[in-house]
């Protein structure tokens, strides 16, 4: 089935010499052979023991412009030591997601250039597919797969520019539009006569109403926000999403978002020219960027346009190493505590009625436009210069103030720390106060010793002001909130890809044409119609198990070619595929669901055919994709079948549900894996011409060689004078062969010769290079090894696979998901943007400068697996440096292998340490070195 490709699983296979394994691979994939895109180029494949499994994570196709502006891939050309991003990926690349990927093309390269044989093991493509069977039957679908899409919007590009935070799908299966923190206008109405929405869960047509308007304009998430997962009651037996839809809203265009972000950057960053932003200011800029639905590449372009270096606002570089290490520990603990608290609240709310939650958000991170609400607030922690010079009274100034549990002063909602601060105070900072000692952010000194003792046990419903709250807690809340917004953006990108895939196959419209589907009566009627149409045979080319090998020309506004292979009752009943009027022949290369005995083809066209658009059909068959190896099955002129099949007559309403169709039966069944079906319009010059009636030789206004107008079928032509190829469904019928027919091994001379070649011992073996000294730096992410001047030429290094894991809980939950929702996330964050590690190798030159010689993309393998990487050439040097780069922050230590006596986790997982993990080697003939040297083999 088609899927979004996430990983490539390779099984290393070789004989006695592992140098026959490939060293690099290029990956391309797409929907067909004509649309392959380069996804990965030159990915390293290490030499490993025979039978070793390695996983290569794949990110979707990335724009070259995005890679250039974010600096991705520039590490190899830069000799400067870049500081790893330990908080989050500031320059995150967003690859294209496509759930209709069908073809994956791999190009392997040998370790030694030339005509060197390559041995390959099993290759598996891992991905995530959509529940197509349930989509077609509208049976037991997840609530997130309710679709509102229109082909008219698709043509105009409305669906391509959308606000992802308005789509109802996040890492937990739910996403609320209020995550953007902005007002949500009413949806843009499409220019179509009908305005119904289609709900795949019920199959019913829904009248869309205006979207609810957000109360006020405060950017922070207040009491009515679904992100305040600890402050909302849980609806028993349902999720908070209820019956919301994938809404195609043009809430904020990309251009408008960029302009607004530039205004924020000018307000915050430009006044600090020559200075440096503080951490909170940089985080607020990132929050505004995510609220405006801008990618990292769009942010960088906006900053560069006004002369700001994006690196200057990178929060990962605004704190010292000690503060970064401490912040990582606090934020990681906040994510676990938030997840646990949300699950406990869901469990405790079973059987209880809804109640009013607190009006303090879990994070309560204020935006750049927000200031203290004033009034009776005595803290005034967020008093600052008003954005855009606005002097209007802040909305919410009439709200009742809260009482800080620490200083006992009145505090407004904006000046309160998020409720997550109380959670951290009661768990992470046990034994010490979770508030600032002596003075807070604003120099508050209202606390006394009695207050300090009372703060040791804080009530979960307590409120603490931002002046009394520890800076490290405020930093952790901001960081956790940014991680939530990044996760929600990823989930929204997944939702957009799902909508596009469904629109391609089912060609959704707003007319509610599938209303009522899923009812038993409809299913039985469809099954009966299909049985009559197939006449006891099987459908061998039905989506998603079958697809097209090449792209198919399609007229504007017509249904997508994949709809030709969709089930008979799927999609709007009036939709059909048609070719452009200028195209008189179309070829369909159909890959069958399995090896089959094909006996015929059925063209379904409820609109019928006429003598001017009845196609000539030619069929080829083969088991391979090469056209040179296919064989012709036959050629049929369907004009002779029009009268007998009734396709040239208007449809009758006699209760017969079988749509009008054209059956092409083969003389003998053909066993094949794919067929080529060519449809060709009849030639206009083939009809007879009467010179006495068809030509007007005296007329100067008419073309004497023009053909007379002939009737075209009502559904198959743009007009009566422009016939075109058209169809609603294509059925390939016959018998499906049960079981897979695999390749059988041969015991002939060729097999014995190959076996003997594989069993030949290698000519050269690897031997360990002695190291005089080594040192670790930068949290054990950098390893320098010092060698003797008499050391042999270095050929490569051996790396033992890391033991760190990718955790599933990386931030607090963004919304409530009850334990009645049986659907897991469709695509997890770690598959949307997979974490990839690189190892960079530098050597000391004679000029006493370090030079980068290679960079290797590390695959995922079982911890401790020995992976051998050869250098591009043999090297003579006295110092080698290894630096681990990539998404280091995405990895954590396995909790089962960590001593939980220390609740504070280090900034870098110990499982990523380079200590005792790398060994240099050289190649030599074992017979020349002798037995003693062989003891140092790697």
């Amino acid at each position: 089935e088609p899927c979004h490709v996430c990983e490539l699983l390779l099984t290393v296979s070789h004989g006695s010499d592992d140098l026959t394994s490939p060293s690099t691979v290029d990956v391309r994939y797409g929907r067909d052979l004509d649309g392959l895109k380069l996804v990965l180029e030159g990915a390293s494949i290490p030499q490993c023991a025979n039978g070793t499994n390695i996983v290569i994570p794949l990110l979707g196709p990335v724009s070259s412009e995005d890679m250039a502006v974010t600096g991705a891939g520039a590490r190899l050309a830069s000799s400067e030591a870049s500081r790893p991003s330990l908080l989050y990926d500031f320059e995150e690349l967003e690859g294209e997601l496509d759930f209709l990927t069908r073809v994956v093309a791999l190009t392997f390269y040998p370790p030694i250039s030339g005509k060197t044989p390559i041995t390959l093991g099993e290759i598996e493509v891992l991905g995530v597919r959509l529940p197509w069977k349930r989509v077609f039957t509208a049976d037991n679908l997840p609530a997130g797969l309710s679709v509102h899409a229109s082909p008219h919007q698709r043509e105009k590009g409305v669906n391509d520019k959308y606000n992802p935070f308005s789509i109802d799908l996040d890492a937990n299966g739910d996403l609320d539009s209020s995550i953007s923190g902005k007002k949500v206008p009413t949806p843009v109405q499409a220019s179509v006569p009908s305005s119904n929405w289609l709900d795949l869960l019920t199959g019913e047509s829904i009248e869309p109403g205006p979207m609810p308007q957000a109360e006020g304009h405060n950017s922070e998430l207040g009491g009515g926000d679904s992100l305040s997962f600890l402050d909302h009651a849980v609806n028993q037996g349902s999720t908070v999403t209820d019956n919301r839809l994938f809404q195609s809203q043009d809430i904020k265009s990309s251009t408008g978002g960029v302009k607004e972000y530039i205004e924020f950057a000018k307000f915050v960053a430009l006044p600090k020219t020559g200075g440096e932003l503080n951490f909170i200011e940089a985080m607020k800029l990132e929050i505004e960027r995510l609220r405006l639905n801008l990618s990292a590449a769009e942010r960088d372009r906006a900053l560069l346009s006004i002369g700001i270096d994006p690196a200057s606002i990178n929060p990962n570089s605004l704190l010292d190493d000690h503060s970064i290490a401490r912040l990582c520990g606090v934020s990681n603990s906040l994510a676990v505590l938030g997840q646990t608290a949300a699950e406990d609240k869901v469990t405790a709310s079973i059987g209880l009625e809804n109640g009013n939650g607190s009006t303090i958000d879990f994070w309560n991170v204020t935006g750049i436009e927000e200031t203290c609400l004033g009034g009776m607030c005595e803290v005034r922690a967020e008093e600052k210069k008003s954005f855009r010079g606005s002097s209007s009274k802040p909305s919410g100034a009439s709200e009742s103030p809260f009482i800080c549990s620490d200083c006992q002063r009145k505090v407004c909602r904006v000046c309160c720390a998020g409720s997550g601060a109380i959670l951290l105070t009661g768990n992470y900072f046990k034994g010490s106060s979770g508030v600032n000692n002596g003075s807070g952010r604003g120099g508050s000194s209202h606390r006394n010793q009695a207050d300090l003792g009372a703060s040791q046990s804080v009530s979960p419903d307590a409120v603490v002001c931002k002046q009394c709250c520890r800076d490290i807690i405020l930093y952790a809340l901001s960081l956790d909130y940014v991680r939530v917004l990044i996760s929600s953006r990823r989930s929204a990108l997944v939702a957009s890809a799902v909508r596009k895939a469904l629109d391609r196959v089912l060609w959704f419209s707003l007319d509610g044409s599938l209303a009522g589907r899923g009812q038993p009566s409809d299913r039985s009627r469809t099954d009966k119609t299909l049985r009559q149409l197939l006449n006891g045979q099987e459908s061998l080319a039905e989506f998603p198990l079958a697809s097209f090998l090449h792209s198919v020309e399609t007229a504007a506004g017509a249904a997508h070619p994949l709809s030709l292979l969709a089930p008979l009752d799927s999609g709007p009943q009036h939709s059909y595929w048609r070719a452009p009027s200028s195209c008189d022949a179309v070829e369909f290369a159909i890959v069958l669901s399995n090896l089959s005995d094909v006996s015929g083809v059925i063209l379904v066209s409820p609109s019928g055919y006429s003598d001017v658009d009845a196609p000539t059909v030619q069929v080829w068959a083969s088991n391979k994709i090469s056209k040179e190896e296919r064989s012709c099955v036959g050629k049929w002129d369907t004009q002779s079948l029009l009268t007998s099949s009734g396709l040239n007559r208007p449809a009758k309403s006699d209760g017969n549900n079988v749509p009008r169709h054209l059956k092409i039966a083969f003389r003998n069944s053909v066993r094949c894996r794919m067929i080529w079906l060519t449809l060709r319009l009849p030639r206009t010059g083939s009809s007879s011409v009467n010179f006495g009636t068809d030509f007007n030789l005296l007329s100067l206004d008419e073309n004497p060689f023009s053909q007379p107008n002939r009737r075209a079928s009502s559904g198959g032509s743009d007009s009566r004078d422009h016939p075109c190829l058209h169809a609603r469904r294509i059925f390939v019928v016959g018998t499906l062969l049960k079981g897979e027919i695999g390749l059988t091994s041969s015991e002939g001379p060729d097999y014995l010769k190959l076996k003997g070649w594989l069993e030949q011992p290698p000519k050269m073996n690897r031997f360990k290079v002695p190291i005089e000294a080594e040192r670790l730096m930068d949290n054990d992410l950098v390893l320098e090894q010092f060698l003797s001047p008499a050391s042999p030429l270095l050929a490569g290094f051996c790396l033992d696979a890391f033991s760190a894991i990718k955790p599933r809980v990386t931030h607090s939950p963004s919304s409530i998901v009850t334990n009645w929702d049986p659907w897991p996330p469709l695509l997890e964050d770690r598959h949307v943007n997979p974490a990839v590690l690189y190892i960079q190798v530098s050597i000391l030159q004679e000029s006493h400068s370090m030079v980068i010689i290679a960079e290797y993309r590390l695959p995922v393998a079982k911890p401790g697996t020995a992976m051998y990487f050869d250098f591009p050439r043999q090297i003579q040097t006295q110092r080698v440096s290894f630096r681990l780069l990539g998404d280091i922050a995405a990895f954590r230590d396995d909790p089962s292998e960590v001593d939980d006596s220390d609740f504070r986790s280090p900034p870098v997982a110990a499982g990523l340490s380079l200590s005792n993990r790398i060994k240099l080697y050289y190649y030599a003939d074992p017979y020349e070195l002798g037995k003693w040297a062989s003891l140092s083999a790697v």
Side-chain angles (χ1 to χ4, degrees):
E1 296 187 21
C3 67
H4 169 64
V5 179
C6 302
E7 296 173 337
L8 193 65
L9 175 60
L10 304 179
T11 300
V12 177
S13 179
H14 55 76
S16 300
D17 190 357
D18 60 6
L19 291 180
T20 60
S21 298
S23 61
T24 57
V25 62
D26 295 343
V27 182
R28 294 174 175 83
Y29 62 61
R31 297 180 179 180
D32 48 57
L33 289 178
D34 301 325
L36 295 181
K37 298 179 181 179
L38 181 62
V39 176
L40 188 60
E41 184 177 13
S44 303
I45 302 179
Q47 276 79 45
C48 304
N50 187 37
T52 301
N53 292 328
I54 60 175
V55 175
I56 300 178
L58 298 176
L59 178 67
V62 181
S63 168
S64 58
E65 296 180 359
D66 290 353
M67 295 187 66
V69 73
T70 57
R75 295 180 302 268
L76 189 59
S78 174
S79 58
E80 299 180 359
S82 58
R83 185 177 182 181
S85 298
L86 299 181
L87 301 180
Y88 70 98
D89 190 0
F90 180 73
E91 297 288 2
E92 177 178 348
L93 290 175
E94 294 179 353
E96 179 184 349
L97 304 176
D98 190 356
F99 287 93
L100 294 179
T101 300
R102 175 71 72 172
V103 182
V104 179
L106 307 177
T107 305
F108 294 96
Y109 299 93
I112 303 175
S113 59
K115 297 182 179 180
T116 305
I118 293 180
T119 55
L120 297 176
E122 186 177 359
I123 300 174
E124 296 183 51
V125 178
L126 307 179
V128 177
R129 63 180 181 86
L130 297 181
W132 290 108
K133 184 177 180 181
R134 295 183 177 182
V135 168
F136 291 139
T137 59
D139 181 23
N140 192 23
L141 278 175
L145 282 184
S146 298
V147 180
H148 172 217
S150 168
H152 304 274
Q153 292 176 329
R154 183 189 67 239
E155 294 173 12
K156 295 181 180 180
V158 176
N159 288 342
D160 295 332
K161 295 296 183 181
Y162 67 100
N163 186 344
F165 299 142
S166 67
I167 298 178
D168 224 12
L169 190 64
D170 70 350
N172 296 319
D174 302 294
L175 177 64
D176 197 293
S177 60
S178 58
I179 192 171
S180 63
K182 303 293 181 182
K183 286 185 177 181
V184 182
T186 56
V188 177
Q189 296 296 331
S191 57
V192 291
S194 179
S195 59
N196 293 332
W197 286 354
L198 178 64
D199 188 353
L200 284 182
L201 181 62
T202 60
E204 297 178 353
S205 178
I206 303 176
E207 291 291 337
M211 292 298 297
Q213 300 292 327
E215 295 293 336
H217 189 66
N218 284 332
S219 299
E220 89 284 359
L221 305 173
D225 200 304
S226 68
L227 289 176
S228 305
F229 60 90
L230 295 180
D231 306 325
H232 282 262
V234 182
N235 296 327
Q236 182 176 356
S238 63
T239 62
V240 294
T241 53
D242 196 21
N243 195 25
R244 292 172 293 181
L245 306 173
F246 283 158
Q247 295 159 9
S248 177
Q249 301 179 34
D250 192 13
I251 292 183
K252 187 179 293 293
S253 66
S254 177
T255 304
V258 169
K259 290 181 179 179
E260 189 166 349
Y261 179 78
I262 289 177
E263 294 297 323
F264 286 131
K266 288 180 178 179
F267 178 75
V268 176
L270 283 185
K272 298 295 182 71
T273 303
E276 191 178 67
L277 288 177
N278 61 45
F279 182 79
I280 291 295
E281 289 174 333
M283 294 298 287
K284 286 186 177 182
L285 267 180
E286 279 294 272
I287 290 172
E288 295 296 346
R289 187 263 294 187
L290 293 167
R291 286 174 172 174
L292 294 172
N293 186 24
L294 298 181
S295 65
E298 291 174 323
R299 174 205 61 207
D300 290 353
R301 292 191 191 97
L303 292 175
L304 292 174
S305 67
I306 57 176
I308 299 179
D309 183 7
S312 64
I313 66 167
N314 185 355
N316 293 279
S317 60
L318 297 180
L319 297 177
D320 56 65
D321 293 341
H322 175 73
S323 299
I324 287 286
R326 193 168 179 225
L327 178 57
C328 287
V330 176
S331 59
N332 294 340
S333 300
L334 176 63
V336 176
L337 291 172
Q339 186 73 30
T340 304
E343 294 174 356
D344 292 344
K345 181 153 187 149
V346 169
T347 304
S349 64
I350 297 176
L352 301 180
E353 296 182 357
N354 297 344
N356 295 326
S358 171
T359 57
I360 301 299
D361 180 69
F362 181 77
W363 301 276
N364 204 34
V365 179
T366 56
I368 295 177
E369 297 179 283
E370 299 170 83
T371 59
C372 173
L373 299 182
M376 292 184 288
C377 179
E378 301 174 356
V379 176
R380 306 298 173 97
E382 293 294 343
E383 276 193 325
K384 51 181 176 285
K385 180 181 177 181
S386 178
F387 180 65
R388 296 192 181 101
S390 174
S391 59
S392 59
K393 183 179 179 181
S395 61
S398 60
E399 294 181 3
S400 300
F402 301 90
I403 302 298
C404 175
S405 61
D406 188 70
C407 63
Q408 303 300 317
R409 290 184 295 170
K410 296 179 180 179
V411 55
C412 67
R413 172 172 47 83
V414 175
C415 296
C416 289
S419 59
I422 303 299
L423 196 62
L424 277 174
T425 301
N427 293 273
Y428 189 87
F429 292 96
K430 283 184 178 180
S432 63
S433 174
V435 296
N436 282 307
N437 296 324
S439 63
R441 300 173 62 216
S444 172
S445 58
H446 293 266
R447 301 174 61 252
N448 52 36
Q449 294 298 326
D451 296 331
L452 180 61
S455 65
Q456 303 298 326
S457 57
V458 184
S459 169
D461 299 328
V463 173
V464 60
C465 69
K466 291 182 179 180
Q467 284 189 349
C468 294
C469 185
R470 287 175 178 262
D471 286 343
I472 191 66
I473 294 181
L474 296 177
Y475 289 178
L477 291 173
S478 299
L479 177 58
D480 189 65
Y481 185 54
V482 167
R483 290 175 176 176
V484 168
L485 292 178
I486 292 175
S487 175
S488 299
R489 175 176 172 83
R490 293 174 180 175
S491 302
L493 294 176
V494 174
S496 175
V498 171
R499 183 184 62 238
K500 291 178 181 178
L502 296 179
D503 186 36
R504 286 286 186 176
V505 178
L506 299 182
W507 205 74
F508 282 112
S509 66
L510 302 178
D511 60 359
S513 58
L514 295 186
R517 284 191 62 219
Q519 301 298 328
S521 58
D522 296 336
R523 294 183 185 177
S524 60
R525 182 168 56 253
T526 301
D527 293 341
K528 180 180 178 181
T529 301
L530 193 59
R531 285 194 302 268
Q532 295 177 354
L533 187 64
L534 299 181
N535 194 22
Q537 295 179 308
E538 298 178 79
S539 178
L540 307 176
E542 188 168 299
F543 187 87
L545 297 180
S547 187
F548 295 113
L549 188 63
H550 297 280
S551 58
V552 179
E553 291 186 86
T554 305
H560 194 269
L562 283 178
S563 65
L564 292 170
L565 304 181
L568 182 62
D569 62 335
S570 61
Q573 298 303 313
H574 65 274
S575 67
Y576 60 91
W577 168 88
R578 70 178 186 275
S581 58
S582 60
C583 181
D584 61 352
V586 174
E587 182 178 77
F588 302 93
I590 304 175
V591 182
L592 307 181
S593 57
N594 206 342
L595 188 65
S596 308
D597 289 334
V598 182
S599 59
V601 176
I602 301 177
L603 299 179
V604 177
S605 177
S607 59
Y609 291 101
S610 68
D611 55 347
V612 296
D613 60 7
T616 300
V617 181
Q618 191 169 5
V619 180
W620 290 268
S622 178
N623 289 325
K624 299 181 180 180
I625 64 175
S626 176
K627 286 187 176 182
E628 287 73 16
E629 301 186 32
R630 66 183 184 177
S631 58
C632 183
V633 178
K635 186 175 182 179
W636 294 263
D637 185 0
T638 59
Q639 288 188 353
S640 61
L641 304 177
L642 293 181
T643 304
S644 60
S645 61
L647 286 174
N648 60 348
R649 295 190 298 269
K652 298 180 180 180
S653 56
D654 54 358
N656 186 8
N657 295 321
V658 179
R660 291 192 290 181
H661 59 278
L662 188 64
K663 284 189 177 181
I664 300 173
F666 299 167
R667 179 174 300 178
N668 298 308
S669 61
V670 179
R671 179 165 296 183
C672 60
R673 186 66 172 81
M674 58 184 305
I675 67 169
W676 284 262
L677 181 67
T678 300
L679 303 182
R680 189 181 303 275
L681 285 174
R683 296 181 180 179
T684 56
S686 61
S687 59
S688 61
V689 179
N690 189 319
F691 285 91
T693 59
D694 294 339
F695 283 153
N696 187 354
L697 300 178
L698 299 179
S699 174
L700 299 177
D701 299 329
E702 297 180 2
N703 182 3
F705 297 98
S706 63
Q707 293 294 321
N709 293 337
R710 293 180 291 180
R711 188 192 64 83
S713 58
S714 59
S717 303
D718 295 333
S719 68
R720 298 178 61 88
D721 300 330
H722 298 89
C724 65
L725 296 168
H726 62 94
R728 173 171 168 77
R729 292 291 184 271
I730 296 178
F731 287 96
V732 180
V733 297
T735 303
L736 182 68
L737 297 183
K738 306 300 181 182
E740 297 184 358
I741 300 179
L743 298 177
T744 57
S745 61
S746 173
E747 296 292 341
D750 293 338
Y751 174 78
L752 296 177
K753 182 179 178 180
L754 175 62
K755 184 178 180 181
W757 175 73
L758 292 174
E759 293 177 353
Q760 290 180 0
K763 297 180 180 180
M764 308 291 283
N765 284 0
R766 299 184 182 94
F767 296 93
K768 183 179 178 181
V769 177
I771 302 298
E772 289 189 344
E774 66 178 17
R775 64 177 177 179
L776 293 165
M777 298 179 293
D778 297 344
N779 295 309
D780 293 354
L781 297 179
V782 178
L783 172 66
E784 286 190 348
Q785 294 184 340
F786 298 87
L787 291 74
S788 169
S791 297
L793 293 176
L794 305 179
F797 66 96
C798 175
L799 173 68
D800 296 336
F802 299 107
S803 59
I805 63 173
K806 302 172 188 176
R808 290 175 179 258
V809 177
T810 58
H811 56 78
S812 302
S814 58
S815 60
I816 300 175
V817 178
T818 68
N819 54 355
W820 289 277
D821 186 8
W823 284 88
L826 184 62
L827 192 61
E828 298 182 8
D829 282 3
R830 56 179 182 165
H831 292 146
V832 176
N833 194 323
V836 180
L837 296 176
Y838 300 83
I839 192 160
Q840 192 180 81
V841 184
S842 306
I843 63 171
L844 180 66
Q845 283 186 333
E846 295 180 356
S847 59
H848 302 288
S849 61
M850 299 297 292
V851 177
I852 300 173
I853 61 168
E855 183 177 275
Y856 302 89
R857 190 181 196 266
L858 299 180
V860 180
K862 184 179 178 180
T865 300
M867 300 183 294
Y868 300 91
F869 297 90
D870 286 349
F871 293 145
R873 64 184 186 279
Q874 293 187 343
I875 298 168
Q876 183 71 52
T877 185
Q878 297 184 30
R879 187 170 72 176
V880 183
S881 174
F882 299 92
R883 179 180 296 272
L884 189 64
L885 302 172
D887 303 324
I888 296 174
F891 291 86
R892 310 274 175 82
D893 290 319
D894 190 345
S896 62
E897 301 177 359
V898 178
D899 183 11
D900 57 359
S901 59
D902 186 7
F903 193 59
R904 295 162 176 81
S905 59
V908 178
L912 296 181
S913 173
L914 296 181
S915 177
N916 299 322
R917 200 176 292 273
I918 294 180
K919 296 180 287 291
L920 292 169
Y921 62 80
Y922 67 98
Y923 285 112
D925 190 340
Y927 294 100
E928 295 180 0
L929 295 180
K931 295 183 179 179
W932 288 106
S934 64
L935 296 177
S936 63
V938 179

